Amino acid sequence: MLTSSETLYLKAIYSLLEKGKIQILTNDISEITKTKPASVTDMLKKLNEKELIIYEKYHGCSLTEQGKKTAIQLVRNQKLWEIFLMEKLSFTEPEILNVITSFDSIQSEHVLHKMVTFLQNPKSDIYGNPLLNENGTPYTIEIISLENLPTHTTAKVTELKKDNPSFLKYMEKINIKIGCKIKIIEKIEYDNSFEILIHNSQKIIISLPIAQNIKVCEI
């Protein structure tokens, strides 16, 4: 069983590798974890002893095969808990950020499998980004404009494309944001507008230009 600090560092190292960093240095990890370089060094030594990383003083570190497998499970586990908290318990994003590290201690593969089944094998996280499968490979998801979403198909908002303050302000007003669930109830032929359902509760009609600037993925 890993401590909360150990899981934090493993996920930090993995995130740096995913960003293309080849040599993971102490200062890189210090910046992500908001800890002093000396504390990072102490933790890297512990993870090295557990054979989760390969650490060499002044040369940084890398994940072992077991370390990579563990980090993938931790990242996947966190994303699944985020989905559960938002979709099933109606947590807001700030609330999730405040409590999510508490769930790092739940590292059971059995629990993770049950979570995947309960959430009906989600392919994207709360922001619409692809989730990792058990092998660490991101799921392939198709991002489309809301206008192209089939009627009565539930999707998740992945991007509000138009970089316009008035557009974003209107999105906030009608409660459309990254990660929210959305469904087209009817495509109105008369003026090419759309009747949509937001969060499975709020119905509203939007214009074609608005729909064209909302990117979604089916869930």
Side-chain angles (χ1 to χ4, degrees):
M1 181 68 69
L2 298 175
T3 66
S4 59
S5 294
E6 289 169 340
T7 61
L8 174 66
Y9 280 82
L10 271 182
K11 288 190 292 185
I13 294 169
Y14 182 78
S15 70
L16 288 166
L17 289 171
E18 287 295 285
K19 292 176 181 177
K21 292 282 290 186
I22 298 174
Q23 187 179 29
I24 310 300
L25 302 176
T26 300
N27 287 339
D28 297 325
I29 302 171
S30 176
E31 185 175 342
I32 291 180
T33 59
K34 309 300 181 185
T35 52
K36 296 179 180 179
S39 299
V40 174
T41 299
D42 289 341
M43 179 56 70
L44 294 182
K45 290 178 180 178
K46 292 179 182 179
L47 294 174
N48 187 73
E49 290 174 359
K50 291 190 174 185
E51 299 183 348
L52 294 172
I53 68 168
I54 299 172
Y55 169 66
E56 186 178 354
K57 192 174 182 180
Y58 305 124
H59 293 281
C61 69
S62 60
L63 291 171
T64 63
E65 283 301 314
Q66 182 57 45
K68 183 177 180 181
K69 180 180 178 181
T70 302
I72 288 171
Q73 180 176 336
L74 289 169
V75 171
R76 182 171 156 80
N77 185 48
Q78 176 179 322
K79 298 296 184 181
L80 290 168
W81 278 114
E82 288 174 352
I83 295 170
F84 174 76
L85 291 170
M86 178 173 283
E87 295 187 359
K88 305 303 178 182
L89 300 184
S90 300
F91 273 57
T92 63
E93 184 179 342
E95 289 172 333
I96 290 173
L97 294 175
N98 284 334
V99 303
I100 194 61
T101 54
S102 304
F103 293 86
D104 280 337
S105 60
I106 306 175
Q107 298 166 22
S108 165
E109 290 188 14
H110 178 68
V111 171
L112 186 59
H113 177 72
K114 290 285 189 181
M115 180 71 71
V116 170
T117 302
F118 180 73
L119 295 174
Q120 298 179 332
N121 195 28
K123 299 295 190 300
S124 60
D125 64 17
I126 61 174
Y127 305 107
N129 300 313
L131 278 177
L132 300 177
N133 62 22
E134 294 178 352
N135 298 319
T137 304
Y139 285 110
T140 300
I141 59 175
E142 183 181 8
I143 306 298
I144 60 175
S145 294
L146 180 59
E147 64 169 318
N148 296 321
L149 183 70
T151 307
H152 301 299
T153 300
T154 302
K156 183 182 293 183
V157 175
T158 62
E159 181 184 358
L160 300 175
K161 187 178 179 183
K162 192 171 184 180
D163 187 14
N164 181 294
S166 61
F167 172 73
L168 296 176
K169 185 176 181 180
Y170 181 63
M171 291 296 95
E172 184 178 356
K173 179 179 179 180
I174 62 177
N175 205 24
I176 292 181
K177 58 185 179 180
I178 305 300
C180 80
K181 286 185 177 181
I182 196 166
K183 179 190 295 185
I184 294 178
I185 300 174
E186 182 183 0
K187 296 183 179 181
I188 303 170
E189 185 178 354
Y190 172 69
D191 60 357
N192 292 320
S193 60
F194 300 81
E195 183 180 12
I196 62 173
L197 180 66
I198 306 169
H199 297 299
N200 296 321
S201 60
Q202 178 187 355
K203 290 183 180 181
I204 192 170
I205 293 177
I206 61 173
S207 66
L208 176 59
I210 289 176
Q212 290 172 331
N213 283 286
I214 299 173
K215 298 296 184 181
V216 301
C217 65
E218 292 186 22
I219 55 176

Short mmCIF file of all heavy atoms in Angstrom, two decimals, residues 2 5 36 39 45 56-57 62 68 78 85-86 91 93 98 101 111 119-121 125 146 150 163:
data_model
loop_
_atom_site.label_atom_id
_atom_site.label_comp_id
_atom_site.label_asym_id
_atom_site.label_seq_id
_atom_site.Cartn_x
_atom_site.Cartn_y
_atom_site.Cartn_z
N LEU A 2 0.56 2.16 -0.87
CA LEU A 2 1.32 3.41 -0.97
C LEU A 2 0.72 4.49 -0.08
O LEU A 2 -0.49 4.53 0.14
CB LEU A 2 1.33 3.90 -2.41
CG LEU A 2 1.98 2.99 -3.46
CD1 LEU A 2 1.79 3.58 -4.84
CD2 LEU A 2 3.45 2.79 -3.16
N SER A 5 1.51 10.60 -0.06
CA SER A 5 2.65 11.33 -0.63
C SER A 5 3.27 10.54 -1.77
O SER A 5 3.64 11.11 -2.81
CB SER A 5 3.70 11.60 0.45
OG SER A 5 3.21 12.49 1.42
N LYS A 36 9.74 21.16 -1.44
CA LYS A 36 11.13 21.55 -1.58
C LYS A 36 11.93 20.44 -2.27
O LYS A 36 11.65 19.25 -2.08
CB LYS A 36 11.73 21.84 -0.20
CG LYS A 36 11.08 23.03 0.51
CD LYS A 36 11.70 23.25 1.87
CE LYS A 36 11.05 24.44 2.58
NZ LYS A 36 11.62 24.66 3.94
N SER A 39 12.96 17.55 -0.12
CA SER A 39 11.88 16.61 0.18
C SER A 39 11.63 15.68 -1.00
O SER A 39 11.34 14.49 -0.83
CB SER A 39 10.60 17.37 0.53
OG SER A 39 10.78 18.18 1.66
N LYS A 45 14.16 8.56 -3.25
CA LYS A 45 14.94 7.46 -2.68
C LYS A 45 14.01 6.35 -2.17
O LYS A 45 14.29 5.16 -2.35
CB LYS A 45 15.82 7.98 -1.53
CG LYS A 45 16.97 8.87 -2.00
CD LYS A 45 17.77 9.39 -0.81
CE LYS A 45 18.92 10.29 -1.27
NZ LYS A 45 19.69 10.85 -0.12
N GLU A 56 18.80 8.21 -9.96
CA GLU A 56 20.24 8.41 -9.88
C GLU A 56 20.50 9.87 -9.58
O GLU A 56 20.03 10.75 -10.30
CB GLU A 56 20.91 8.02 -11.20
CG GLU A 56 22.43 8.07 -11.14
CD GLU A 56 23.07 7.62 -12.45
OE1 GLU A 56 22.33 7.17 -13.35
OE2 GLU A 56 24.30 7.75 -12.57
N LYS A 57 21.21 10.12 -8.51
CA LYS A 57 21.49 11.49 -8.07
C LYS A 57 22.09 12.31 -9.20
O LYS A 57 22.99 11.86 -9.91
CB LYS A 57 22.44 11.46 -6.88
CG LYS A 57 22.57 12.80 -6.16
CD LYS A 57 23.42 12.65 -4.91
CE LYS A 57 23.52 13.98 -4.17
NZ LYS A 57 24.35 13.85 -2.93
N SER A 62 13.25 7.78 -13.61
CA SER A 62 12.30 7.25 -14.59
C SER A 62 11.50 6.15 -13.89
O SER A 62 11.92 5.62 -12.86
CB SER A 62 13.02 6.70 -15.82
OG SER A 62 13.89 5.64 -15.45
N LYS A 68 5.28 2.26 -13.64
CA LYS A 68 4.39 2.78 -14.67
C LYS A 68 3.00 2.17 -14.53
O LYS A 68 1.98 2.87 -14.63
CB LYS A 68 4.95 2.46 -16.05
CG LYS A 68 4.12 3.03 -17.19
CD LYS A 68 4.75 2.76 -18.54
CE LYS A 68 3.91 3.34 -19.66
NZ LYS A 68 4.51 3.06 -20.99
N GLN A 78 -8.18 7.95 -10.07
CA GLN A 78 -8.58 9.33 -9.75
C GLN A 78 -9.64 9.84 -10.71
O GLN A 78 -10.63 10.45 -10.28
CB GLN A 78 -7.35 10.25 -9.80
CG GLN A 78 -7.72 11.72 -9.58
CD GLN A 78 -6.51 12.62 -9.60
OE1 GLN A 78 -5.45 12.27 -9.11
NE2 GLN A 78 -6.66 13.80 -10.18
N LEU A 85 -18.01 11.36 -8.42
CA LEU A 85 -18.36 12.48 -7.55
C LEU A 85 -19.21 13.52 -8.28
O LEU A 85 -20.17 14.06 -7.73
CB LEU A 85 -17.10 13.14 -7.00
CG LEU A 85 -16.29 12.31 -5.99
CD1 LEU A 85 -14.95 12.98 -5.71
CD2 LEU A 85 -17.07 12.13 -4.69
N MET A 86 -18.87 13.78 -9.55
CA MET A 86 -19.60 14.80 -10.30
C MET A 86 -20.95 14.28 -10.78
O MET A 86 -21.98 14.95 -10.62
CB MET A 86 -18.78 15.29 -11.49
CG MET A 86 -19.50 16.33 -12.35
SD MET A 86 -18.47 17.07 -13.65
CE MET A 86 -17.50 18.24 -12.68
N PHE A 91 -21.11 16.71 -7.11
CA PHE A 91 -20.04 17.57 -6.64
C PHE A 91 -19.69 18.57 -7.75
O PHE A 91 -19.72 18.24 -8.93
CB PHE A 91 -18.79 16.75 -6.30
CG PHE A 91 -18.77 16.21 -4.90
CD1 PHE A 91 -19.80 15.40 -4.43
CD2 PHE A 91 -17.71 16.48 -4.05
CE1 PHE A 91 -19.78 14.89 -3.15
CE2 PHE A 91 -17.68 15.97 -2.76
CZ PHE A 91 -18.71 15.18 -2.30
N GLU A 93 -16.74 21.10 -9.54
CA GLU A 93 -15.31 20.91 -9.79
C GLU A 93 -14.44 21.36 -8.61
O GLU A 93 -13.53 20.62 -8.20
CB GLU A 93 -14.89 21.65 -11.06
CG GLU A 93 -13.44 21.42 -11.45
CD GLU A 93 -13.07 22.15 -12.73
OE1 GLU A 93 -13.98 22.54 -13.49
OE2 GLU A 93 -11.86 22.33 -12.96
N ASN A 98 -10.95 19.57 -3.90
CA ASN A 98 -10.67 19.62 -2.46
C ASN A 98 -10.62 18.24 -1.81
O ASN A 98 -9.96 18.07 -0.78
CB ASN A 98 -11.72 20.47 -1.75
CG ASN A 98 -11.51 21.96 -1.95
OD1 ASN A 98 -10.39 22.41 -2.19
ND2 ASN A 98 -12.58 22.73 -1.89
N THR A 101 -7.85 13.81 -3.42
CA THR A 101 -6.66 13.11 -2.92
C THR A 101 -7.01 12.10 -1.82
O THR A 101 -6.25 11.17 -1.57
CB THR A 101 -5.62 14.10 -2.38
OG1 THR A 101 -6.23 14.95 -1.40
CG2 THR A 101 -5.05 14.96 -3.51
N VAL A 111 -12.19 -2.85 -6.43
CA VAL A 111 -13.02 -1.65 -6.31
C VAL A 111 -13.01 -0.88 -7.63
O VAL A 111 -14.05 -0.40 -8.09
CB VAL A 111 -12.52 -0.75 -5.16
CG1 VAL A 111 -13.25 0.60 -5.18
CG2 VAL A 111 -12.72 -1.44 -3.82
N LEU A 119 -20.10 2.85 -13.58
CA LEU A 119 -20.13 4.06 -14.42
C LEU A 119 -20.32 3.73 -15.89
O LEU A 119 -20.25 4.62 -16.74
CB LEU A 119 -18.82 4.85 -14.23
CG LEU A 119 -18.59 5.44 -12.84
CD1 LEU A 119 -17.20 6.06 -12.75
CD2 LEU A 119 -19.65 6.48 -12.49
N GLN A 120 -20.55 2.43 -16.18
CA GLN A 120 -20.82 1.95 -17.55
C GLN A 120 -19.63 2.22 -18.48
O GLN A 120 -19.77 2.70 -19.60
CB GLN A 120 -22.10 2.59 -18.10
CG GLN A 120 -23.34 2.23 -17.28
CD GLN A 120 -24.61 2.87 -17.80
OE1 GLN A 120 -24.58 3.93 -18.42
NE2 GLN A 120 -25.74 2.21 -17.58
N ASN A 121 -18.46 1.90 -17.96
CA ASN A 121 -17.21 1.93 -18.74
C ASN A 121 -17.01 3.26 -19.48
O ASN A 121 -16.97 3.30 -20.71
CB ASN A 121 -17.19 0.77 -19.75
CG ASN A 121 -15.81 0.54 -20.31
OD1 ASN A 121 -14.81 0.82 -19.67
ND2 ASN A 121 -15.75 0.03 -21.53
N ASP A 125 -12.98 11.66 -19.28
CA ASP A 125 -13.04 12.16 -17.92
C ASP A 125 -14.05 13.30 -17.80
O ASP A 125 -14.82 13.56 -18.74
CB ASP A 125 -11.65 12.59 -17.44
CG ASP A 125 -11.08 13.77 -18.24
OD1 ASP A 125 -11.85 14.46 -18.93
OD2 ASP A 125 -9.86 13.99 -18.17
N LEU A 146 -21.82 20.20 -31.62
CA LEU A 146 -23.13 19.82 -31.11
C LEU A 146 -24.15 19.69 -32.24
O LEU A 146 -25.03 18.84 -32.18
CB LEU A 146 -23.60 20.84 -30.07
CG LEU A 146 -24.97 20.59 -29.43
CD1 LEU A 146 -25.01 19.24 -28.72
CD2 LEU A 146 -25.34 21.71 -28.47
N PRO A 150 -26.37 13.22 -33.00
CA PRO A 150 -27.69 12.65 -33.30
C PRO A 150 -28.70 12.99 -32.21
O PRO A 150 -28.35 13.10 -31.03
CB PRO A 150 -27.41 11.14 -33.34
CG PRO A 150 -25.95 11.03 -33.64
CD PRO A 150 -25.31 12.19 -32.95
N ASP A 163 -13.86 31.88 -28.79
CA ASP A 163 -13.17 32.67 -27.76
C ASP A 163 -13.74 34.09 -27.77
O ASP A 163 -13.13 35.03 -28.25
CB ASP A 163 -11.67 32.67 -28.04
CG ASP A 163 -10.89 33.34 -26.92
OD1 ASP A 163 -11.47 33.55 -25.85
OD2 ASP A 163 -9.71 33.67 -27.14
#
